[in-house]
Amino acid sequence: MDLLIKNGTVVTADESFIADIAVENGKIACIGQNLSVDAKQTVDAAGKLVLPGAIDAHTHLAMPFGGTVSADGYLAGTRAAACGGVTTVFDYPMQKKGMGIMEIIEARKAMCDPEACVDYAFHCIITDLNGGALLDEFQAAVDNGITSFKCFLVYKKEGMMVDDATLIKVLLKAKEVGAITNIHAENPDVIDMNIEKFLKEGKTSAWYHYLSRPEFVEAEADKRAVHWAKSVGAPLYIVHMADKEGLEAAIAAKLEGHDIYVETCPQYLEFTCDVYKREDGRNFVCSPPMKGEESREALWDAIKTGLIDTVATDHCPFQSYEKDWGKDDFTKIPNGCAGVENLYPYMLSAAGAGKITWSRAVALCATNPAKIFGCTQKGSLAPGKDADIVVYDPKKDFTISVSNMHSDYDHTIWEGKTLHGYPVQTYVRGRLVYDNGAFVGQPGYGEFVKRAPKI
Ligand code: URP
Ligand code: ZN
Ligand code: ZN
Ligand code: ZN
């Protein structure tokens, strides 16, 4: 064996038990008590938890947005991922008018492959059907392991928005080829109306970013997306759910038996729209914005009852000087926050505090995204699976600061937040990539995850 992790408390989505894990050739070879195997390296995990590596199903690395590019490229973003216990990141390459799906995927693979420190998968953003011809490429995308597509119901001026007819065509084609459609749901017309009004009135601070897209503006689009998915019987994954009313609509459809999944992000679980009242509120501008306390509580309730399926980050940081472009006009602030390094530690610290179980944290951050998105080799600790493993010390305290993160951004919404419990080691396919505060991985080690279609 290459590696033996002994005496840890192994946590799966269903249970926790003390066991040893033996790893060979990047895979979990066996799990059991007092394994007597020879290993090149042995790690004593007594008193620690041994968890599947997290899958961050929502990141935007090197993403063009608002006249710039997000601050973490593939190297920095996946280095930060490794240091937060994330062993697979999903990025969102964006197809543009006239462009093919595999064309953009291959271009992004060429960028990512030499830099990736953890494994990576792609959802493809669809912005234009090229007169319908693009739909004929969905099968080839699935054959190449791209089994999810995304539509934005907003970002008209950025050239990313699609109309309802396009969304329906994508939903139907995705279903036909065994893929799933991800949706960013907000109502663009009401946002534009509000923006015009606020700017005319000289209301230009980050607070008006929130007021231009409050709860009911997100809820309408959540409900519309759920309605179309139900009507055509296609699977739907709602990204970064942030409002109570939309959440309730998605949950109702899910409970009726529809193939509808909900993702939220740590920032919506921890913060409310009050952050936009802060002097540095523009640094936290993301879409959808953080909402009121009622929504935050509803999200936590659904996390606890298992009605939210995944927690992912929407990691899309921008530097302070870029956020400053919108000092006197919130519409000029590039949208997005950091999070990839904070996801697993945050959700696990909630488990440590008794808010959710350890197994629920594992389900939300690893096992569920693997299942929903067809990562058949990932997301659980079981013989034959990739040895993507996190050793976690439930007693280690850690205070998040930009200075101890491993990204390239210069500020974080999580600054000053103390977590009780923290990852001490991360392994990707059996190779140590993070060790007690230090990145020890290798750019280029990360591999593309070819995913399986839904059957
Ligand atoms: O503000 C955000 N969320 N920026 C990234 C793009 C998106 O909407 O997911
Ligand atoms: Zn979005
Ligand atoms: Zn996003
Ligand atoms: Zn503590």
Side-chain angles (χ1 to χ4, degrees), residues 58-60 63 92 150 152 184 239-240 287 314-316:
H58 190 159
T59 71
H60 301 277
M63 188 208 195
Y92 274 107
K150 180 187 200 179
F152 283 107
H184 171 136
V239 303
H240 51 41
S287 295
D314 196 12
H315 183 84
C316 190

Side-chain angles (χ1 to χ4, degrees), residues 79 98 101 105 113 131 148 169 179 191 196 228 238 288 309 350 378:
R79 181 180 63 208
I101 295 176
I105 294 295
D113 210 57
S148 43
K169 288 176 193 167
I191 293 170
E196 195 185 326
W228 294 135
I238 305 178
D309 300 281
K378 304 211 173 268

